[in-house]
Amino acid sequence: MLTLGVETSCDDTGVALVADGALLAHQAASQADLHALFGGVVPEIASREHYRLLGPLFRACLEEAGLEPEAIEAVAVARGPGLLGSLLTGVSFAKGLVAGLGGPAVAQGDGGPVLVGVDHLQAHLLAAGLEQPLTFPAVGLLVSGGHTNLYWMPEPLALEPLGRTLDDAAGEAFDKAARALNLPYPGGAAMDMLATHGTADPALFPRAYVDNPTLDFSFSGLKTAMTQHVARHPECAAPHPLAPETLRQGREAAVAALGDRFQAMADCCASYVLAVAETLAIKTSRALEQHPETQALLLAGGVAASRVTRRLLEDTASAHGVRFIVPSPALCTDNAAMVAFLGERLAQAGRCHDLDLDAIPRGQAVPRDYLQR
Ligand code: KG4
Ligand code: ZN
């Protein structure tokens, strides 16, 4: 089933084509450097950029696959949770495309493609399915810029919440700490890069909110601990905001820009990354203990690109004798391939939406209000 995926929930614009679970083409544009100028995502700018980019990316995606729009059988769009203005650009694009290719009576199967609104978080959790078979029942850990959630996943399309962050998400803890260090947005990638050159001090930052029986998280104290640490040790922060390309150029460029602060910053980042990863591992381990029938641990979301997080969660899975499943780093951050992958599975199960599909803003649960074909 040829499925187009559309992703515009935050600051990454993506369009992808998937057929029978395999990725055919993928076009993406990151707005990160633009938002880095403001220290974080500016919603109004994000919406305008999605609006500007979607059409050209769609055309390039079809060209990459060598296909015509008429071949598309399902259009899957991330409908939330996310920035409402950003979501509306993607949902409107998807609706327009479906209507243009087959008319609005999509639920009656009138010959045009079906429309499927996809939960962005569920798409993250299943993204690894593009690269390897998934195993269920599973415990899912979703760690992104807006969410830190643990789930019980008895089967591929079922998702039951076990725990969540009570304040900041793990990715947010990285982005806010990075700002205190004068590192560019998105902070997780910058801190992860520097951390590979540093030595972690396990006692430097707290493992917050672990002395309780819940599967919830709290990361806001960690960010405060970093702010206080930088106030005491100014050598842990860059003297002025670092340009995103400096870190992308690698270690030598970072050393040239940071001078003798490089090592102190690398050590500080290594300690912080370890504190986040260990906190995630402690609660995930508890979730696995509470669900002894688990066959796999699924790690997903932008923070799953973190090397230390991947290693510690892999150790956690192996300590519990379950399979460890994580997408390759490029599929961890926001992308349209995961949206197309989940959308295709839903469409194959007969689930779709009509043209009254709603976008769901951050903080609200995405309803399972599918129509059944
Ligand atoms: O899933 P995602 O791309 O977007 C959301 O849905 O939020 O996640 C973005 C988050 C950001 O907070 C970013 O700092 C973090 O993922 N991130 C990382 C890494 N790459 C991105 N965190 C740790 N290590 C990384 N390598
Ligand atoms: Zn995401």
Side-chain angles (χ1 to χ4, degrees):
M1 183 175 220
L2 183 67
T3 305
L4 180 82
V6 179
E7 164 60 48
T8 62
S9 53
C10 189
D11 61 337
D12 291 295
T13 322
V15 178
L17 282 164
V18 160
D20 302 321
L23 184 61
L24 300 185
H26 186 208
Q27 294 287 326
S30 168
Q31 308 171 12
D33 289 0
L34 185 60
H35 296 288
L37 297 170
F38 303 91
V41 178
V42 183
E44 173 73 17
I45 295 177
S47 310
R48 288 172 186 233
E49 282 295 287
H50 290 310
Y51 181 71
R52 186 175 72 79
L53 291 161
L54 270 174
L57 290 177
F58 172 61
R59 192 168 47 221
C61 195
L62 284 171
E63 276 167 17
E64 187 189 340
L67 292 167
E68 296 297 323
E70 290 71 23
I72 297 170
E73 296 167 274
V75 176
V77 58
R79 67 178 300 200
L83 300 172
L84 191 58
S86 289
L87 292 167
L88 290 175
T89 63
V91 171
S92 302
F93 183 85
K95 285 183 182 179
L97 188 64
V98 166
L101 287 171
V106 285
Q108 278 80 53
D110 59 356
V114 290
L115 175 69
V116 197
V118 163
D119 179 343
H120 174 87
L121 305 181
Q122 191 178 18
H124 266 303
L125 284 160
L126 299 181
L130 283 157
E131 299 174 323
Q132 55 181 303
L134 302 177
T135 305
F136 297 90
V139 164
L141 174 64
L142 172 79
V143 264
S144 69
H147 297 86
T148 303
N149 296 348
L150 270 166
Y151 295 98
W152 172 238
M153 301 171 72
E155 49 184 274
L157 296 179
L159 210 55
E160 296 165 22
L162 295 176
R164 66 193 167 90
T165 182
L166 302 176
D167 40 56
D168 290 353
E172 207 174 346
F174 279 124
D175 296 334
K176 288 178 175 170
R179 214 177 297 173
L181 300 183
N182 268 330
L183 289 172
Y185 171 86
M191 292 183 78
D192 186 41
M193 182 271 172
L194 280 173
T196 57
H197 304 291
T199 307
D201 171 358
L204 194 55
F205 295 110
R207 278 70 181 141
Y209 204 68
V210 292
D211 296 326
N212 61 70
T214 77
L215 297 177
D216 293 330
F217 300 90
S218 166
F219 285 107
S220 65
L222 193 55
K223 157 205 73 189
T224 309
M226 173 62 97
T227 316
Q228 289 168 349
H229 181 71
V230 174
R232 285 193 304 271
H233 300 275
E235 72 281 7
C236 287
H240 46 75
L242 215 61
E245 59 272 17
T246 306
L247 290 180
R248 280 201 291 267
Q249 285 159 3
R251 185 180 193 277
E252 275 175 30
V255 171
L258 298 171
D260 53 11
R261 293 191 180 197
F262 175 82
Q263 201 52 53
M265 286 186 72
D267 292 347
C268 179
C269 287
S271 305
Y272 196 84
V273 168
L274 184 67
V276 173
E278 281 191 356
T279 305
L280 294 171
I282 290 168
K283 292 280 169 140
T284 305
S285 186
R286 262 179 226 169
L288 290 167
E289 271 159 31
Q290 290 174 17
H291 288 84
E293 65 276 45
T294 306
Q295 298 290 317
L297 170 62
L298 281 170
L299 173 65
V303 177
S306 147
R307 284 160 253 223
V308 178
T309 305
R310 292 166 87 91
R311 185 164 48 73
L312 291 197
L313 271 297
E314 182 167 15
D315 292 348
T316 304
S318 103
H320 289 269
V322 304
R323 244 190 100 199
F324 178 62
I325 304 176
V326 65
S328 55
L331 282 179
C332 287
T333 45
D334 287 349
N335 67 86
M338 67 185 191
V339 176
F341 180 77
L342 172 56
E344 182 181 58
R345 291 196 82 143
L346 290 166
Q348 282 169 339
R351 296 181 200 169
C352 63
H353 286 102
D354 215 327
L355 293 181
D356 58 0
L357 172 71
D358 262 348
I360 308 296
R362 232 185 232 184
Q364 285 182 26
V366 176
R368 300 293 187 255
D369 54 358
Y370 308 109
L371 302 170
Q372 190 70 33
R373 269 186 304 135

